Amino acid sequence: MEHIRFMTLERHIIEGERQHPEATGELSALLSDLALAAKVISREVNKAGLVDILGFTGDENVHGEKVKKLDIYANDMMIKAMDHGGHLCAMASEEEEDIIHIPTQHRIGKYIILFDPLDGSSNIDANISIGTIFSIYKRLSPDGTPGTMEDCLQPGINQVAAGYVVYGSSTILVYTTGADHGVHGFTLDPSIGEFLLSHENITTPKKGKIYSINEGNYLYWHPGLKKYIKYLQEEDAATARPYSTRYIGSMVADIHRNMLYGGIFMYPADSRSPYGKLRLMYECNPMAMIIEAAGGRAIDGKKRIMEIVPTSLHQRTPIFIGSAEDVTIVEEFMRKEVNG
Ligand code: AHG
Ligand code: MN
Ligand code: MN
């Protein structure tokens, strides 16, 4: 009989940490707390159509966007699952204006987590994939004190772990603790409530055949980007053009698909949105860490996403992310158009 080896997420994290003699086990425990939040959110997402929790609450989030109830639920669940574990000194969420401090009755730890509790939330009502994205840093301020804004505003290169969960045809959690440790995906088996290793050592193709962008904004794009998209639509067998378009409108799911199949996801700046739409700290940095660890690239058009020095929690950045060769080509198109 074929040897079947069940590897749960928890065991994988612990075994990974064992390779570091200096590790205290705190990161493992934090990721386990997070996995619990993901399971609860997954359960709630899966029954979303059954209970009366859909529709707008009427509130707006700090970006002035309408918030759906499931966003708030996911946000609360992330905070509740992680605020008392003793591993964090602060959190920040796309749905909260300010830093989330650890309640004073709980132990203060050495990590910071930033998250987008529910990405792609405009897709909830249509049963389309959505997700959760997270980014973990080590604190800079002294141990034992409450976390600070400076702890939160670190460049992406300082991330010690990043990951996401996609609530799709199945629920998958993907995480990395850096390029040396690879990117791994775990599919939730709802019958036993465990994430099981299903995608070990994910690497993204050097070049893809898919591009993902909201083409409705074409009119407002940079001329170099317009030319690049037209280039992708031309016929050329040698470079496997024309490419296919795929755009879900949930960044996490669009990038997950492209990472597996190869391709490029873009949310550019345009003449109406000079900084693009997506958030550096909750969306772009964690996805950039994962894609780079899988062998891809992530830039803001000119420079590496993870080298941007953040100045505010909710800042936005343009992003071009995916297969390394594809990102390099769009980078060249944009540069040529600027330099003539
Ligand atoms: P969120 O639901 O967290 O606000 O994020 C939505 C984001 C992202 O997931 C997606 O890629 C993008 O918005 C889609 O924007 P457009 O509708 O402008 O294409
Ligand atoms: Mn989002
Ligand atoms: Mn969100």
Side-chain angles (χ1 to χ4, degrees), residues 69 78 174 269 314:
K69 283 181 182 171
M78 291 289 279
V174 174
H314 297 285

Side-chain angles (χ1 to χ4, degrees), residues 65 94 116 118-121 214 247 249-251 265 267 277-279 283:
E65 297 154 347
E94 187 201 69
D116 178 355
L118 216 50
D119 177 65
S121 41
N214 184 341
Y247 191 74
S250 295
M251 173 213 209
F265 172 91
Y267 210 108
K277 176 179 185 187
L278 300 177
R279 277 65 107 189
E283 293 165 324

Side-chain angles (χ1 to χ4, degrees), residues 60-188:
E60 290 192 343
N61 70 11
V62 291
H63 310 288
E65 297 154 347
K66 287 252 167 123
V67 174
K68 293 201 167 187
K69 283 181 182 171
L70 213 49
D71 295 50
I72 298 168
Y73 181 86
N75 186 50
D76 292 349
M77 209 37 66
M78 291 289 279
I79 296 170
K80 279 199 187 110
M82 294 184 293
D83 69 357
H84 59 282
H87 319 299
L88 292 172
C89 62
M91 298 181 242
S93 163
E94 187 201 69
E95 297 294 343
E96 308 261 348
E97 184 115 34
D98 296 317
I99 295 188
I100 305 159
H101 286 291
I102 303 303
T104 46
Q105 67 270 32
H106 302 311
R107 205 175 77 87
I108 293 178
K110 65 178 180 195
Y111 291 105
I112 291 277
I113 190 164
L114 299 102
F115 53 85
D116 178 355
L118 216 50
D119 177 65
S121 41
S122 69
N123 284 322
I124 296 170
D125 288 355
N127 250 319
I128 291 169
S129 297
I130 49 181
T132 299
I133 311 172
F134 61 91
S135 166
I136 300 174
Y137 295 84
K138 241 184 213 153
R139 67 182 308 165
L140 301 171
S141 55
D143 283 346
T145 58
T148 64
M149 187 59 94
E150 196 201 353
D151 291 323
C152 294
L153 294 183
Q154 299 187 52
I157 43 170
N158 288 4
Q159 289 172 105
V160 294
Y164 59 80
V165 186
V166 177
Y167 313 104
S169 43
S170 54
T171 294
I172 184 167
L173 186 152
V174 174
Y175 88 103
T176 185
T177 51
D180 298 345
H181 304 282
V183 177
H184 310 286
F186 299 79
T187 302
L188 180 64

